[in-house]
Amino acid sequence: MESEKKVMLSGIQPSGALTLGSYLGAIRNWAGRAEKFDCYYFMADMHAITSRQVPADLRRNTLEQLAQYIACGLDPEKNVLFVQSHVPHHAQLGWVLNCYTMFGELSRMTQYKDKSAKNAENINGGLFTYPALMAADILLYQPDYVPVGEDQKQHVELTRNVAQRFNGIYGDVFKIPEPYIPEVGARIMSLADPLDKMSKSDKDQNGSIHLMDAPEEIMRKFKRAVTDSDTEHCVHYDRAEKPGVANLMQIYAACTGENYEAIERTFAGQGYGAFKAAVGEAVVALLDPIRTEAARLLADKAYLEEVYRKGAQRASYTAEKTLRKVYKKIGFLAT
Ligand code: TYM
């Protein structure tokens, strides 16, 4: 019998070491859902090659990301964890959806504009059509919710538009998914430049906290975090006027569950130095168990292989059903 549960799905590109941004914006909201939802989480390696990857690094990052998913609380018995390229249906539905996604829609995607501005020497076709593949990633599994950070909202909205367009022509083929974005932690900024998003591909390594950073490293990066020139060192939440402090407050709030007023009260008169150290400690407390567990899992390659092989089988089962339906609807001759 088919499961009655609602479905959740999300993915991350293994294009670098996972950051605190991906953790607070996405992964943290994936864990603990498996009782209520059928959950699919994957390593988006096909998306990662839209920017040039060193093959050995891509392999290592993909496996490390799987270990980190599990260490973040995604039990592979209860969640389907898989590698995107192991399930060929993504590429197959991706092609179909390319033919239902408009050039103008793709041209408006902020991530495409940002990435092509940053990588002027490699503006490839995959970077441009990436959202059609992302729509396929999502729609194959008919999810109700897609838990992502703020920056991916536009892609999920495009997915909804493409699905609605397709359903409008062929009847109800796809469920229309909702983005699920956390209230706090949806957009973590770089510690080195609080006007820029914290990112895996950040050139300035002091700006990003990685899930595998040692506690000393995390503390060092927070001590160096950019704040502002306010001589009063006032810990006050104002994104426009005090973006560095607001970002640190967001991180502290996401780690401890405290609200901004409480944080302002706690750190009133203490100065930026004490506040930055407290944020660092809160992050270490959150990430250290994950780092230790991920390192332990990474030493057991046979186990990780078994997890991603089983994951690909389970994912393929669901993906196959959707793809068959789509192929039939659009008029492809049955095999
Ligand atoms: P990616 O790999 O850039 O980021 C992975 C997830 O982490 C979130 N995130 C952040 N959240 C808050 N603050 C930050 N600084 C931050 N940086 C990253 C992202 O919003 C995302 O949720 N296209 C996607 C990967 C993808 C996908 C999918 C996601 C491919 N197919 C299908 C959902 C469903 C991406 O590039 O995310």
Side-chain angles (χ1 to χ4, degrees):
M1 210 181 85
E2 295 292 303
S3 164
E4 297 286 304
K5 283 183 183 171
K6 291 199 169 188
V7 178
M8 221 178 218
L9 166 133
S10 200
I12 298 184
Q13 299 187 53
S15 49
L18 282 186
T19 70
L20 179 65
S22 321
Y23 179 67
L24 295 176
I27 312 176
R28 196 161 70 147
N29 305 302
W30 306 355
R33 306 279 181 188
E35 303 305 327
K36 283 209 182 134
F37 295 90
D38 282 333
C39 295
Y40 296 86
Y41 301 116
F42 64 98
M43 280 65 77
D45 56 348
M46 290 164 69
H47 284 271
I49 62 161
T50 55
S51 60
R52 201 66 75 229
Q53 302 293 324
V54 175
D57 292 352
L58 181 59
R59 258 189 295 277
R60 197 195 54 246
N61 286 331
T62 307
L63 205 63
E64 191 172 286
Q65 196 168 305
L66 175 61
Q68 289 169 334
Y69 280 5
I70 303 170
C72 287
L74 300 174
D75 177 349
E77 296 297 322
K78 298 185 180 155
N79 300 267
V80 182
L81 307 180
F82 66 100
V83 180
Q84 184 187 27
S85 64
H86 293 179
V87 182
H89 308 76
H90 290 248
Q92 292 170 300
L93 184 63
W95 173 254
V96 172
L97 295 183
N98 254 307
C99 303
Y100 295 81
T101 309
M102 300 301 131
F103 187 89
E105 285 176 312
L106 293 169
S107 316
R108 285 194 289 277
M109 293 297 112
T110 323
Q111 180 168 308
Y112 169 70
K113 288 190 221 164
D114 285 354
K115 289 206 171 172
S116 44
K118 281 186 185 160
N119 273 303
E121 74 296 344
N122 185 18
I123 308 178
N124 59 74
L127 191 67
F128 186 65
T129 59
Y130 174 120
L133 179 60
M134 179 158 161
D137 299 337
I138 297 173
L139 298 174
L140 275 174
Y141 301 91
Q142 309 278 4
D144 297 87
Y145 298 107
V146 183
V148 285
E150 183 67 45
D151 63 328
Q152 293 300 318
K153 191 173 170 206
Q154 196 185 29
H155 288 159
V156 181
E157 275 162 2
L158 177 64
T159 299
R160 288 166 58 86
N161 292 340
V162 172
Q164 274 156 349
R165 178 173 304 136
F166 196 94
N167 286 354
I169 307 171
Y170 303 104
D172 275 348
V173 176
F174 297 123
K175 190 181 277 177
I176 309 299
E178 297 278 344
Y180 177 86
I181 294 168
E183 271 174 33
V184 180
R187 192 170 172 79
I188 303 291
M189 310 308 280
S190 160
L191 301 185
D193 176 2
L195 299 179
D196 202 15
K197 197 187 67 164
M198 185 182 286
S199 135
K200 289 186 282 276
S201 51
D202 202 341
K203 302 263 180 310
D204 185 345
Q205 287 300 302
N206 290 316
S208 299
I209 301 291
H210 297 119
L211 262 54
M212 298 310 266
D213 282 350
E216 316 77 75
E217 183 83 349
I218 295 178
M219 293 306 292
R220 187 183 62 76
K221 289 181 185 173
F222 275 101
K223 275 188 193 135
R224 293 180 57 135
V226 169
T227 46
D228 52 48
S229 53
D230 174 0
T231 48
E232 309 266 292
H233 278 204
C234 180
V235 176
H236 170 60
Y237 191 82
D238 184 336
R239 274 217 109 110
E241 295 297 320
K242 298 170 79 73
V245 170
N247 187 40
L248 292 170
M249 289 179 75
Q250 178 187 205
I251 295 172
Y252 191 79
C255 293
T256 62
E258 278 185 42
N259 65 31
Y260 295 139
E261 292 77 43
I263 299 171
E264 285 173 3
R265 274 198 304 278
T266 308
F267 292 98
Q270 290 200 32
Y272 290 161
F275 179 53
K276 290 202 266 190
V279 184
E281 279 159 20
V283 170
V284 168
L286 195 67
L287 296 190
D288 214 40
I290 297 173
R291 180 180 66 102
T292 314
E293 178 60 3
R296 189 188 70 77
L297 289 163
L298 263 175
D300 191 351
K301 299 270 185 307
Y303 170 70
L304 294 174
E305 272 172 30
E306 189 190 316
V307 168
Y308 68 65
R309 292 218 171 97
K310 273 198 191 144
Q313 276 173 11
R314 290 165 73 191
S316 298
Y317 176 79
T318 311
E320 176 72 14
K321 285 201 285 191
T322 306
L323 189 71
R324 285 298 135 222
K325 206 166 168 186
V326 167
Y327 275 10
K328 193 171 170 195
K329 290 282 186 186
I330 58 180
F332 284 179
L333 196 61
T335 50

